[in-house]
Amino acid sequence: EAQLAMIIGAYVLGLSLSEMQELEDIWSMEKKNERVLKRLLEILDSHLNRLDERLTDLNILRNEILDYRGRIRAKTGAG
């Protein structure tokens, strides 16, 4: 039951199956939460960095769409 809760939590956080398997492998070898939690922090940091990059890219795209829409409205008089 605790393992299922951990899997669901990992899924909600966006961990891949291979990342979850890696954490399980660490636990199986060492039987210590400290190493598992350290690796989990590394994985979460990596996910956050990728999300920040995607958010930046999406914000750039949003601004480009708004600009393009504004130019179209100006040309069509649909301001």
Side-chain angles (χ1 to χ4, degrees):
E1 191 171 307
Q3 188 172 11
L4 179 60
M6 185 188 87
I7 291 169
I8 292 170
Y11 177 78
V12 168
L13 292 173
L15 272 66
S16 68
L17 290 176
S18 63
E19 290 167 332
M20 288 187 258
Q21 183 63 52
E22 179 185 355
L23 294 174
E24 177 64 29
D25 291 345
I26 293 169
W27 171 252
S28 295
M29 289 186 293
E30 299 189 21
K31 302 289 187 209
K32 293 180 182 176
N33 277 337
E34 183 179 339
R35 177 67 182 116
V36 172
L37 294 175
K38 181 180 177 187
R39 180 61 185 131
L40 179 56
L41 283 174
E42 292 170 353
I43 292 169
L44 293 176
D45 286 344
S46 174
H47 281 243
L48 284 171
N49 287 335
R50 284 198 313 267
L51 279 172
D52 287 341
E53 290 171 6
R54 287 177 61 195
L55 287 170
T56 297
D57 291 344
L58 287 170
N59 196 42
I60 290 168
L61 176 60
R62 183 181 189 281
N63 289 333
E64 289 173 355
I65 290 171
L66 288 171
D67 181 59
Y68 192 69
R69 184 181 70 173
R71 287 186 282 150
I72 292 171
R73 284 188 171 167
K75 287 181 180 184
T76 62

